[in-house]
Amino acid sequence: IVDQRQKTEAYKNALQQILDAGEPEACKDFVHHMLTDEVPLVISRQLLLMFAQGISRLPIAAHVSVATAALERLQPRVVSFEDSVVLLRETLAEALEKEEEWSRAAQVLSGIDLESGGRAMEPSYKLSKNIKIAMLYLEDDDSVNAEMHIKKAAALISSCKDEGLELQYKTCYARILDAKRRFLEAALRYYELSSIRPAAAGSLQLDEGDLETALRSAITCTVLAPAGPQRSRMLAALYKDERSSRLGDLYPFLQKVYLERILDRAEVEAFAKGLKPHQVALVGGGGTVLDRAVVQHNLAAASRLYSNIRLGALGGLLGLSAEAAEAVAADMVAEGRMAGSIDQVDQLIHFGSKVEVEALLRWDDSIRAAC
């Protein structure tokens, strides 16, 4: 066919027949032919864009196979077919997401050049793609790649007026902090999310279930955070929030943590059932994040009950050896998260003994002066 209009119509009909037949090999042959010198660029651009729009009709397995092969052929000439490549990547990522291939879907989306000068891209489009990629990586607990893309989103969030995107950004950022075990920061973010009012949220489409999930996450992260004044303030805010009392399974545990009562093993095991994999992962020095948090909490609780205690008895209370109990106590005192002093000669730890500590420091100064 010599006439360009007739040639285009003939190709459109051929494409329609190929898509209706749903044969992956025929689809791949069509892409290969479109990139040959026989087809003028003005026609191949139009037809490949139609192809990218149409292959989502194929079964998922065929769609993934065809789109992957098409991207391999188009990538070297992405400048000429940028619109088609972007659409192919977006639809392929959706198909992979349905198959729960989260990281692969994220990699496909991250192949879109969001800084390209060939296409005019709105900041909201760039923001939405970076947030989507980060959320996909989080589904596979890949917090490193997720953080890289959420940082790119952070540079765009100030120019965004879409409340829905802002909410997704905040949710994603909280989950990244959680995954990186920065629990106190994550708890603050989750609590902020839980305080959004559905009525005031407008287009955010929040419901009470979402807010309750955020509140539960805030409580969990606060419990797992290292003991200290900031954690205590966060616990107070959560305990005094009337919504927390409606969480029947979680509230008794929160209450004991807030009131600094010693936690027993059965309560801790029941709480651990609701944790995510990264929250029960092993940490340096042995034990899990939860084990470390419970030991520090029980030590802080013991400091409220006792004026002093032998290291062996403290170890029994915490489920540790005397040496391990001493190491935990020393860290907490040194970091200012607990007032006290350790007498290694008599194997005693004195709680809240600021006067004794000052006296010991003066004694050290006197020894230093004498020497």
Side-chain angles (χ1 to χ4, degrees):
I1 300 173
V2 179
D3 182 73
Q4 191 165 304
R5 184 177 293 177
Q6 291 179 358
K7 197 180 187 77
T8 303
E9 287 303 317
Y11 273 129
K12 285 181 181 178
N13 291 333
L15 174 60
Q16 195 63 40
Q17 290 172 17
I18 289 167
L19 292 174
D20 288 343
E23 287 290 333
E25 292 307 315
C27 293
K28 294 174 187 177
D29 290 341
F30 179 83
V31 174
H32 176 69
H33 179 72
M34 283 291 114
L35 297 176
T36 61
D37 294 335
E38 296 174 39
V39 186
L41 185 61
V42 67
I43 295 178
S44 59
R45 272 183 175 167
Q46 184 182 352
L47 266 295
L48 283 172
L49 188 60
M50 291 178 63
F51 171 82
Q53 293 167 342
I55 61 167
S56 56
R57 290 156 40 191
L58 299 174
I60 288 181
H63 180 185
V64 170
S65 171
V66 170
T68 304
L71 284 170
E72 287 176 6
R73 288 191 174 276
L74 286 168
Q75 199 60 41
R77 298 181 61 183
V78 67
V79 176
S80 301
F81 301 99
E82 194 166 3
D83 288 340
S84 301
V85 168
V86 168
L87 188 55
L88 279 169
R89 286 189 176 280
E90 288 176 344
T91 56
L92 175 56
E94 287 175 13
L96 290 169
E97 191 178 348
K98 289 175 184 174
E99 293 291 289
E100 297 186 2
E101 294 189 44
W102 313 113
S103 291
R104 194 177 162 197
Q107 288 163 8
V108 168
L109 274 184
S110 60
I112 298 173
D113 185 2
L114 297 174
E115 305 304 322
S116 169
R119 296 175 78 238
M121 294 185 185
E122 292 290 327
S124 59
Y125 176 81
K126 297 179 185 180
L127 177 64
S128 66
K129 286 292 169 273
N130 278 309
I131 291 171
K132 182 66 176 177
I133 293 165
M135 294 185 85
L136 286 169
Y137 275 125
L138 278 177
E139 291 296 328
D140 268 345
D141 287 329
D142 186 347
S143 59
V144 176
N145 280 313
E147 187 176 24
M148 182 174 69
H149 286 279
I150 210 66
K151 283 180 177 176
K152 292 179 182 178
L156 299 163
I157 196 70
S158 59
S159 61
C160 175
K161 304 299 179 188
D162 187 328
E163 290 180 325
L165 281 177
E166 283 185 37
L167 179 68
Q168 286 181 355
Y169 169 78
K170 288 177 180 178
T171 304
C172 194
Y173 194 61
R175 288 179 62 192
I176 288 171
L177 291 171
D178 186 354
K180 291 177 73 67
R181 298 177 189 165
R182 290 159 62 182
F183 293 119
L184 199 56
E185 294 171 72
L188 287 165
R189 298 274 179 172
Y190 280 131
Y191 189 56
E192 182 187 340
L193 287 168
S194 75
S195 302
I196 296 172
R197 293 184 180 180
S203 63
L204 302 186
Q205 297 180 341
L206 283 173
D207 58 31
E208 290 296 334
D210 296 325
L211 300 180
E212 183 181 308
T213 300
L215 184 61
R216 283 178 175 275
S217 298
I219 293 171
T220 300
C221 287
T222 304
V223 169
L224 294 174
Q230 286 183 303
R231 177 178 181 264
S232 298
R233 284 194 291 272
M234 194 68 215
L235 281 170
L238 290 165
Y239 179 70
K240 292 171 184 176
D241 192 318
E242 60 181 20
R243 297 173 300 162
S244 298
S245 61
R246 297 198 288 268
L247 305 177
D249 56 330
L250 204 53
Y251 183 70
F253 193 81
L254 171 65
Q255 187 177 43
K256 288 196 77 170
V257 173
Y258 170 68
L259 297 174
E260 293 189 334
R261 294 172 182 164
I262 291 174
L263 302 169
D264 62 43
R265 178 52 53 187
E267 290 171 318
V268 174
E269 288 174 356
F271 176 75
K273 290 177 182 176
L275 297 183
K276 298 169 186 172
H278 71 269
Q279 294 170 337
V280 290
L282 294 175
V283 293
T288 65
V289 177
L290 178 60
D291 292 335
R292 184 181 62 187
V294 169
V295 165
Q296 291 184 358
H297 168 81
N298 282 346
L299 181 52
S303 73
R304 296 299 185 101
L305 290 172
Y306 296 91
S307 296
N308 54 58
I309 187 172
R310 291 201 176 277
L311 292 173
L314 179 64
L317 186 68
L318 302 179
L320 302 172
S321 65
E323 293 79 9
E326 181 187 346
V328 174
D331 285 343
M332 290 181 67
V333 171
E335 292 167 10
R337 292 189 282 128
M338 183 178 72
S341 62
I342 299 172
D343 184 337
Q344 290 181 310
V345 176
D346 291 333
Q347 291 286 291
L348 277 170
I349 176 167
H350 298 274
F351 296 113
S353 48
K354 293 180 182 176
V355 176
E356 276 189 41
V357 173
E358 289 169 9
L360 286 168
L361 290 173
R362 283 198 300 274
W363 189 22
D364 287 350
D365 288 338
S366 299
I367 293 170
R368 193 176 294 110
C371 292

